[in-house]
Amino acid sequence: MTTRPRVLVVSTGGTLGMLQKDPGALAPSEVSENVLKYVQGLDSAVDLQAEALWNLDSSDMGPSHWTALAELVALRRESVDGFVILHGTDTMAWTASALSFALEGLDRPVVLTGAQRPIAWVRSDARPNVVNSALCAGMGIPEVCVYFGRWLFRGNRVTKTSIQSYEAFESPDCNPLFELGVEVRAIEPPRAVRGPFHVDTRFDRNVAVVTPLPGSDGEALDALVDRGVRGVVVRAFGSGNLPQAGWPAAIARATEAGVAVVLTSQSLRGRLDAPAYEGGRRAVEAGALSAGAMTMECATVKLMVGLGRGLRGAELAAFYAADLAGEGV
Ligand code: ASP
């Protein structure tokens, strides 16, 4: 008899465990703590343990929850072969990015999953998502992943692209690691372990994201700098371009004031190439860093991590340009 992988299923809430209590709105329910009741038979393949951390809509989660999750993984890591984290879809990409940086040298799977429909509903995507996530958590992949709608993704590369589809997530510039269809198909090789294992949960919350509009002049960035932010992610147009009247000068004022500025793109796919056009070139000249092919969520979390670790100036730029967790620099 083969031994079953030991998998700890950690529930944090989300639609998966919700019920419709008051007319109209879904709300966290007692189902969240009893999810394994709905996946009978799974324990023939996986040695399951369960732990309920909290029961929240993921819109109410943030850096303190990322920290608690990272600490739980560190605490239980040696007693299980992998983890499943049941999580709302709204901020799953943020938590996955945060854990991918916090869990340095991770040597076993941490798989986040959730659902578009509650597990207690007959026609729900929750059951296959939980079952396949638990199987993936037993597959030895040393990464933080997101499993959703038949795909196992690198966690820090996903973004929620659909509110209605059972394929809620995409990984715009990175192939999924596995497809769990009729067959289990390996697509992208997982990363090698970069040990030793170490947890670092410092996140600077004093970071903002700003979206330039056509015809805007960078005043929104000045206002954030005046408010005392330490870092700003600017969601530039296309390859990293910005209105030339105002934005490069506002970025120069921000960086001179010691505020880190990162450029990401309003486009979903493709690697940033800010110097390709004059507005972006001047933004880089003014000190803006490039998010490469990172998602907006991952680019923002990485800035929170770098600043949280006390990095500034050239040190922050080197940290930001380094490939830490396959995030798409
Ligand atoms: N609002 C829910 C959440 O993120 C959505 C979901 O789980 O799909 O918790």
Side-chain angles (χ1 to χ4, degrees), residues 233-238 240 262-266 272 291 294-296 299:
V233 173
V234 177
R235 301 185 69 206
F237 305 125
V262 168
L263 297 182
T264 182
S265 178
Q266 294 178 28
L272 217 77
M294 282 184 257
T295 62
M296 181 274 293

Side-chain angles (χ1 to χ4, degrees), residues 18 25 29 36 57 83 108 110 161 175 182 219 248 261 272 292 297:
M18 291 189 186
S29 82
L36 295 187
D57 188 299
F83 296 83
R108 60 202 69 201
V110 173
T161 53
N175 289 327
V182 174
E219 260 183 30
V261 177
L272 217 77
E297 296 90 326

Side-chain angles (χ1 to χ4, degrees), residues 12-18 26 28 56-61 87-92 113-117 125 148 160 162-163 168-169:
T12 72
T15 293
L16 185 140
M18 291 189 186
L26 284 166
L56 291 174
D57 188 299
S58 73
S59 301
D60 296 319
M61 289 174 62
H87 195 292
T89 59
D90 289 345
T91 68
M92 194 184 292
T113 197
Q116 293 280 47
R117 289 287 178 254
D125 55 332
F148 218 90
K160 182 176 174 179
S162 177
I163 299 164
F169 287 88

Side-chain angles (χ1 to χ4, degrees), residues 23-312:
L26 284 166
S29 82
E30 59 288 352
V31 171
S32 179
E33 282 107 59
N34 298 299
V35 165
L36 295 187
K37 272 199 344 212
Y38 294 84
V39 285
Q40 280 171 14
L42 178 57
D43 55 0
S44 65
V46 180
D47 180 358
L48 293 165
Q49 303 166 37
E51 188 152 334
L53 273 191
W54 51 80
N55 191 358
L56 291 174
D57 188 299
S58 73
S59 301
D60 296 319
M61 289 174 62
S64 61
H65 302 91
W66 307 340
T67 297
L69 282 167
E71 284 170 355
L72 179 77
V73 170
L75 190 71
R76 303 294 299 277
R77 188 178 61 98
E78 282 173 358
S79 65
V80 295
D81 298 301
F83 296 83
V84 171
I85 298 176
L86 306 178
H87 195 292
T89 59
D90 289 345
T91 68
M92 194 184 292
W94 295 86
T95 303
S97 295
L99 292 179
S100 79
F101 297 123
L103 300 170
E104 293 176 359
L106 182 66
D107 60 354
R108 60 202 69 201
V110 173
V111 183
L112 287 88
T113 197
Q116 293 280 47
R117 289 287 178 254
I119 201 164
W121 292 13
V122 173
R123 211 178 66 76
S124 167
D125 55 332
R127 255 173 257 109
N129 282 352
V130 174
V131 167
N132 286 322
S133 295
L135 297 176
C136 290
M139 282 164 38
I141 302 153
E143 293 205 32
V144 175
C145 303
V146 164
Y147 181 86
F148 218 90
R150 89 174 194 270
W151 306 105
L152 184 72
F153 297 108
R154 179 161 294 145
N156 56 24
R157 303 302 292 270
V158 301
T159 187
K160 182 176 174 179
T161 53
S162 177
I163 299 164
Q164 262 93 29
S165 169
Y166 280 158
E167 307 233 338
F169 287 88
E170 283 180 63
S171 174
D173 290 302
C174 180
N175 289 327
L177 306 183
F178 280 86
E179 178 185 11
L180 281 84
V182 174
E183 308 290 342
V184 175
R185 183 167 69 96
I187 304 172
E188 187 73 18
R191 283 166 65 82
V193 181
R194 295 192 180 179
F197 181 74
H198 171 71
V199 181
D200 191 330
T201 57
R202 289 172 291 169
F203 301 103
D204 191 332
R205 293 159 178 257
N206 202 1
V207 163
V209 179
V210 64
T211 303
L213 307 179
S216 64
D217 58 7
E219 260 183 30
L221 178 58
D222 286 327
L224 289 167
V225 172
D226 290 347
R227 288 278 299 272
V229 294
R230 266 186 291 271
V232 181
V233 173
V234 177
R235 301 185 69 206
F237 305 125
S239 61
N241 208 0
L242 291 163
Q244 293 182 53
W247 277 92
I251 290 172
R253 284 193 290 279
T255 54
E256 274 155 30
V259 176
V261 177
V262 168
L263 297 182
T264 182
S265 178
Q266 294 178 28
S267 299
L268 180 61
R269 290 174 220 289
R271 174 173 295 278
L272 217 77
D273 180 15
Y277 296 93
E278 188 56 13
R281 189 194 68 73
R282 288 176 55 200
V284 171
E285 198 176 70
L289 307 177
S290 166
M294 282 184 257
T295 62
M296 181 274 293
E297 296 90 326
C298 184
T300 309
V301 170
K302 191 171 182 182
L303 184 58
M304 296 169 86
V305 170
L307 292 170
R309 294 181 188 182
L311 304 175
R312 302 290 183 268

